[in-house]
Amino acid sequence: MNRMFPWLVTVTLAAAAAGAQNEGPAAAPALAVEAIVANANRVSYYQGRDGRAQVRMVVVDAQGRERTREMTILRLDVPAAAAGSGDAKGGDGKRGDGEAPAAGAGKAPAAGDAAANPAPADDAHCGEQKFYVRFRQPADVDKTTFLVWKKPGQDDDRWLYLPALDLVKRVSSADKRSSFVGSHFFYEDVSGRHVAADTHELVETTKNYYVVESKPVDAKSVEFAAYKMWIHRESFTVVKVEFRDAAGEVYRRYEVLGVETVQGRPTVTKARMSDLRSNGSTTVTYSEVAYDLGLPDEVFTERYLRREPRQWLR
Amino acid sequence: MKWAPTLGVGLWLAASAVAQEPELPPGLGQPPAAQEPRRPTPQQPAAPDEPALPTGLESGAAAEGPRAEPSARSERAWARPKGFVDLRAGARTQSDPLQRDLSLAEARLRLEFEHAFDRGVLRFKPDLVADALESSQSVDLERGRGFLDLREGSFATSPLPFLDLKVGRQVLTWGTGDLLFLNDLFPKDWVSFFVGRDEEYLKAPSDALKVGMFGAGLNFEVVYTPRFDPDRFVRSERLSFFDPLAGRVIGRDVAFAPEVPDRWFRDDEFAARLSGNFGGHELAAYGYWGRWKSPGGFDGVSQRPVFPRLGVYGASARTQFAGGIANLEVGYYDSRQDPGGADPLVENSQGRFLAGFERDLPQLAAHLTVGAQYYLEAMLDHAEFRRTLPTGVPERDELRHVLTLRVTKELLEQRLRVSVFTYASPSDRDWYLRGTVSYAIDDAWSVFGGVNWFGGRRDFTFFGQFEDNSNVYLGARLAF
């Protein structure tokens, strides 16, 4: 799940990072691979309680032809208590304003005390999430909107809003490993792959990285045979991922090209996914990243597909 | 000496292990002030395969710095309108003595203006059209004819947190069918659909007020159309179709001039929907009070097709099922001017049923989506219909079954999209196949082609009557 597109990647646990740093990598106690992967997953997909980013993807094919996609992405973590309760109504707004900033903002800069506890207290936040993706470019998809209710371990709920027809279309999500809007990122890279879908093995610990090798539990459901992640030891940022096929050949590579600190959270701001067979690649840039905006649950409903939530998209 | 080979292998292994490790990317290295030696810069990886720490990930780099990345947003140029230029032409695949050989020949310039105020959003979307097949270029905004077709001219606002209003010309859609409509009684443009305009033109705009109320997990929407907005129904100048009174297929040889009710606030329409999304299970109930949207009757006095009054009550459900999307929809069509079905000049009441399923099939191929639907149209009071059927008018079946199949495949990094949508009726023994191929040359230019193929055993069935309108078309679009 971690190898995905760390959209809104941050270090929730600056505290954990600080702890590791104090002890020094050499002296750090061995961390179970499950904890490493769980942390990396959280850092890649669950920083803050919600977030927003302006996203630009530049897709380059083997002939060097460029296409550009621009979108605003809003993300909201569903509190564990509410997840799967079966009531998806908008606007009851129980999550939110009180709790989120306190937990999010309070924790990040406060180093030290969490050093012994790299697994964060809010692990519940690695569950269901909602994504709202509003496209601006290319021109023919302007205002087209994609709504995802991500359910780890199950098929996500997805809707596509086509403004020219005022049509809210429900879309199938069986094919998670297909291209996201023609880019080299897959849907699963965007919203995250379930941690339990793969087995993970810590193969090496270097000065900067945990190197984790992962293999699919259900090999037939995916196109890769294995992938290797380089996870930054201090921040748990996934810095590089290489996917290998059955012959052991690396055919797909994800690389982080830039990280910035946003509201105390190191955040991936530039990354590239390369298809080494076709020689195409997609570079994604995140800007204007913000966390803990207090996004209401209601934004992630049909009402706001038909009527854009300007206040939150800015 | 004897260690040498082992050592050599060991070194090679070490080298290869190192060779896989990525250099820390920018942002993940040590800060310049750190006590440790600096991490290698991205240009000097520790090992060819290890990523350098990206900038921003150095220890202690948490201080908020100036953004390294420029905004991902293109500069917002409100002054520059958005839109497209669309050119397309098509021809009948068989000669129709009642029609021209060309089925489509037009150029369109779409402009989109949008202005957001504190209190709402104004939208204006005119299409400037040059249509070589229309005899007159004078503008008829209701029927979408002439050099100007206004697709949208609306003001949307939310005066209260739970209330959305949208007034003016707007395209409206609801319901769960894929190119089948039970509870969506908003106007359709069947001419556009059948001659190969872009699929967005299937939906004709309404001049209406839409009120949405949202809360407590339920949404309630009402659309009031103060003056009846009929479909842009098939017209004999463009398409040949069966005229029950003539007892044959008519075309440009017969003027088709229905009497469209057009009194403000008297010939009005109401549509309502109550809907909710319960953990991904979408349920809705619908009501419509208006008229048959395409001519559903004939006035014996004026000798013109008319739009009798109609009420529609229905419900739908849509959810994930077996890795795909399943939907069910029902509707009861109450033909209010023919309650017992004994009036041969007005459509009978109907029950309509739809079940559909769509999913990706990654097992077969990447980017392949397949959808199938079963649709049933049951004429109520069929015995009365038969009893009062005028001599010479063909008898329609009580039950009309339609199956649809959609297959969509995307290729070449989604530049090329191939889609086939087929309607087939085993009871009417007729069909309609819509095939489209489009190729995105770049972000602005695309080219496309398509086919509309109608056929059937008899010339009075729903799709069979359009047999001579089968056509192919080609076009190009520049989006900006």
Side-chain angles (χ1 to χ4, degrees):
Chain A
M1 173 137 18
N2 358 3
R3 59 181 193 244
M4 314 324 135
F5 190 22
W7 96 270
L8 299 192
V9 171
T10 47
V11 173
T12 347
L13 276 219
Q21 177 193 341
N22 293 343
E23 288 185 78
L31 202 52
V33 68
E34 291 76 18
I36 295 169
V37 170
N39 282 339
N41 183 46
R42 182 177 42 258
V43 164
S44 294
Y45 296 103
Y46 291 89
Q47 299 300 349
R49 301 300 179 91
D50 61 37
R52 171 178 61 216
Q54 306 298 338
V55 180
R56 180 183 173 90
M57 284 183 168
V58 178
V59 185
V60 183
D61 69 9
Q63 288 85 50
R65 296 178 296 180
E66 279 192 10
R67 289 181 295 163
T68 303
R69 279 94 185 81
E70 282 184 29
M71 67 207 91
T72 303
I73 298 186
L74 305 177
R75 188 210 79 205
L76 175 68
D77 294 358
V78 179
S85 71
D87 185 2
K89 66 174 185 259
D92 76 1
K94 292 205 175 63
R95 74 151 22 266
D97 303 317
E99 207 189 350
K107 186 177 294 172
D113 60 311
N117 177 24
D122 57 353
D123 237 4
H125 278 251
C126 294
E128 297 188 7
Q129 291 180 310
K130 295 176 180 179
F131 295 88
Y132 182 103
V133 182
R134 185 92 162 172
F135 290 91
R136 281 187 307 276
Q137 294 285 342
D140 66 341
V141 298
D142 182 36
K143 296 186 174 67
T144 297
T145 307
F146 191 53
L147 175 65
V148 180
W149 291 2
K150 168 183 157 187
K151 299 173 172 175
Q154 305 171 47
D155 286 336
D156 301 337
D157 288 320
R158 296 186 193 161
W159 292 266
L160 188 64
Y161 177 65
L162 304 172
L165 287 159
D166 187 40
L167 176 66
V168 177
K169 185 175 161 53
R170 187 88 179 246
V171 285
S172 164
S173 61
D175 193 0
K176 295 184 171 63
R177 301 196 64 76
S178 62
S179 161
F180 177 69
V181 296
S183 76
H184 296 89
F185 288 93
F186 293 162
Y187 279 95
E188 206 169 57
D189 300 322
V190 180
S191 62
R193 180 173 166 84
H194 194 35
V195 176
D198 305 305
T199 59
H200 310 280
E201 185 192 353
L202 180 62
V203 292
E204 196 184 0
T205 303
T206 72
K207 186 173 174 186
N208 288 326
Y209 299 106
Y210 296 114
V211 184
V212 173
E213 176 91 18
S214 302
K215 294 195 170 73
V217 174
D218 177 8
K220 286 196 287 281
S221 66
V222 291
E223 88 292 354
F224 60 83
Y227 60 94
K228 187 185 262 190
M229 290 183 285
W230 281 262
I231 300 170
H232 184 228
R233 292 177 59 187
E234 290 178 18
S235 65
F236 291 98
T237 302
V238 179
V239 170
K240 177 173 161 180
V241 185
E242 287 183 345
F243 295 84
R244 294 197 309 275
D245 59 19
E249 192 187 339
V250 175
Y251 67 93
R252 190 165 186 258
R253 179 183 295 133
Y254 167 81
E255 302 155 280
V256 169
L257 306 175
V259 177
E260 290 171 28
T261 301
V262 177
Q263 293 168 248
R265 301 178 170 103
T267 299
V268 170
T269 50
K270 190 170 188 179
R272 180 168 57 219
M273 185 70 85
S274 306
D275 180 335
L276 305 177
R277 288 177 181 148
S278 74
N279 278 325
S281 70
T282 296
T283 301
V284 60
T285 315
Y286 305 89
S287 64
E288 302 174 43
V289 177
Y291 299 107
D292 293 327
L293 300 154
L295 288 176
D297 191 44
E298 197 196 18
V299 165
F300 300 83
T301 63
E302 181 178 331
R303 178 186 186 186
Y304 289 94
L305 287 177
R306 293 180 190 268
R307 178 208 140 194
E308 68 177 2
R310 279 175 179 271
Q311 171 193 3
W312 301 108
L313 296 171
R314 275 188 319 150
Chain B
M1 211 35 193
K2 64 179 178 181
W3 291 103
T6 321
L7 186 62
V9 170
L11 282 174
W12 181 82
L13 281 175
S16 73
V18 162
Q20 293 191 348
E21 179 155 324
E23 193 183 354
L24 282 172
L28 278 183
Q30 293 281 18
Q35 291 162 353
E36 279 191 52
R38 291 183 64 164
R39 293 264 195 296
T41 65
Q43 290 71 36
Q44 301 169 301
D49 230 27
E50 169 160 332
L53 280 176
T55 53
L57 274 187
E58 304 90 346
S59 308
E64 310 257 337
R67 297 287 153 80
E69 298 298 338
S71 172
R73 274 196 243 215
S74 306
E75 61 182 86
R76 276 175 285 188
W78 291 106
R80 196 189 67 171
K82 294 180 169 182
F84 57 77
V85 176
D86 184 294
L87 302 166
R88 51 182 82 203
R92 286 186 160 75
T93 52
Q94 64 294 306
S95 101
D96 179 348
L98 306 175
Q99 298 287 350
R100 289 173 290 210
D101 289 340
L102 279 180
S103 52
L104 184 66
E106 64 187 37
R108 232 166 236 278
L109 169 64
R110 155 71 58 82
L111 296 171
E112 297 187 15
F113 304 94
E114 182 174 296
H115 187 76
F117 303 90
D118 286 349
R119 295 185 172 273
V121 181
L122 260 180
R123 282 191 199 84
F124 186 58
K125 282 193 211 173
D127 269 16
L128 297 171
V129 187
D131 185 337
L133 301 184
E134 288 289 337
S135 44
S136 161
Q137 299 300 324
S138 66
V139 174
D140 181 342
L141 288 180
E142 285 294 306
R143 298 183 189 186
R145 297 167 70 176
F147 68 86
L148 173 68
D149 184 10
L150 184 60
R151 297 289 299 172
E152 178 155 5
S154 72
F155 179 69
T157 183
S158 294
L160 295 165
F162 62 87
L163 185 67
D164 289 349
L165 302 178
K166 190 169 182 181
V167 62
R169 176 158 283 215
Q170 54 192 304
V171 170
L172 295 162
T173 299
W174 61 38
T176 64
D178 184 6
L179 302 183
L180 283 174
F181 304 94
L182 284 76
N183 291 294
D184 179 338
L185 277 294
F186 303 114
K188 320 290 185 306
D189 183 344
W190 297 109
V191 175
S192 291
F193 190 59
F194 292 153
V195 302
R197 292 195 182 112
D198 189 272
E199 202 163 287
E200 81 162 278
Y201 292 97
L202 170 60
K203 298 296 293 198
S206 299
D207 296 315
L209 167 68
K210 182 178 183 182
V211 180
M213 281 165 281
F214 307 87
L218 290 174
N219 311 321
F220 183 62
E221 291 148 285
V222 179
V223 176
Y224 178 65
T225 306
R227 191 171 69 153
F228 179 57
D229 276 328
D231 287 345
R232 294 176 178 179
F233 44 84
V234 290
R235 291 180 287 120
S236 56
E237 307 100 278
R238 292 297 291 262
L239 296 167
S240 300
F241 56 89
F242 186 82
D243 180 350
L245 288 151
R248 64 172 177 90
V249 170
I250 62 165
R252 296 174 65 82
D253 57 328
V254 176
F256 184 71
E259 228 171 84
V260 179
D262 60 357
R263 294 169 300 176
W264 286 92
F265 304 106
R266 296 187 66 180
D267 296 317
D268 53 1
E269 300 173 271
F270 274 100
R273 177 173 75 150
L274 178 67
S275 62
N277 185 335
F278 305 94
H281 308 294
E282 298 169 273
L283 300 176
Y286 308 85
Y288 170 78
W289 299 267
R291 294 168 177 278
W292 289 91
K293 303 293 287 192
S294 283
F298 187 80
D299 187 314
V301 177
S302 69
Q303 296 285 306
R304 291 169 72 185
V306 291
F307 299 81
R309 282 186 288 120
L310 175 72
V312 179
Y313 314 94
S316 70
R318 183 165 66 176
T319 191
Q320 274 205 77
F321 176 74
I325 307 301
N327 63 292
L328 277 178
E329 190 164 339
V330 293
Y332 166 59
Y333 278 54
D334 179 12
S335 192
R336 293 161 69 188
Q337 286 175 232
D338 187 14
D343 185 343
L345 297 180
V346 177
E347 283 276 357
N348 276 23
S349 296
Q350 294 176 355
R352 296 188 180 188
F353 172 84
L354 172 74
F357 183 70
E358 178 176 303
R359 69 162 292 170
D360 302 331
L361 286 175
Q363 298 86 347
L364 290 183
H367 298 291
L368 175 69
T369 308
V370 176
Q373 297 177 109
Y374 166 69
Y375 169 77
L376 174 68
E377 197 176 283
M379 186 193 291
L380 305 180
D381 310 309
H382 190 256
E384 285 298 296
F385 163 78
R386 286 185 61 175
R387 190 178 64 76
T388 57
L389 191 68
T391 334
V393 175
E395 178 185 334
R396 284 157 56 193
D397 293 337
E398 180 173 12
L399 300 178
R400 176 170 169 248
H401 305 268
V402 179
L403 297 165
T404 76
L405 180 68
R406 177 192 283 279
V407 179
T408 304
K409 168 84 178 145
E410 292 176 321
L411 303 121
L412 307 176
E413 299 181 327
Q414 298 183 12
R415 284 172 182 270
L416 180 64
R417 180 187 169 90
V418 181
S419 180
V420 175
F421 189 97
T422 313
Y423 299 86
S425 171
S427 53
D428 280 354
R429 290 191 284 181
D430 63 354
W431 72 85
Y432 169 31
L433 182 149
R434 292 171 59 81
T436 54
V437 178
S438 63
Y439 180 75
I441 297 169
D442 56 29
D443 284 339
W445 279 99
S446 59
V447 290
F448 47 80
V451 56
N452 290 291
W453 180 32
F454 303 89
R457 290 281 183 86
R458 295 169 295 184
D459 63 3
F460 61 86
T461 58
F462 192 83
F463 297 119
Q465 64 182 320
F466 298 122
E467 194 163 46
D468 284 348
N469 298 304
S470 296
N471 61 78
V472 293
Y473 62 91
L474 288 171
R477 179 180 284 215
L478 169 66
F480 55 85

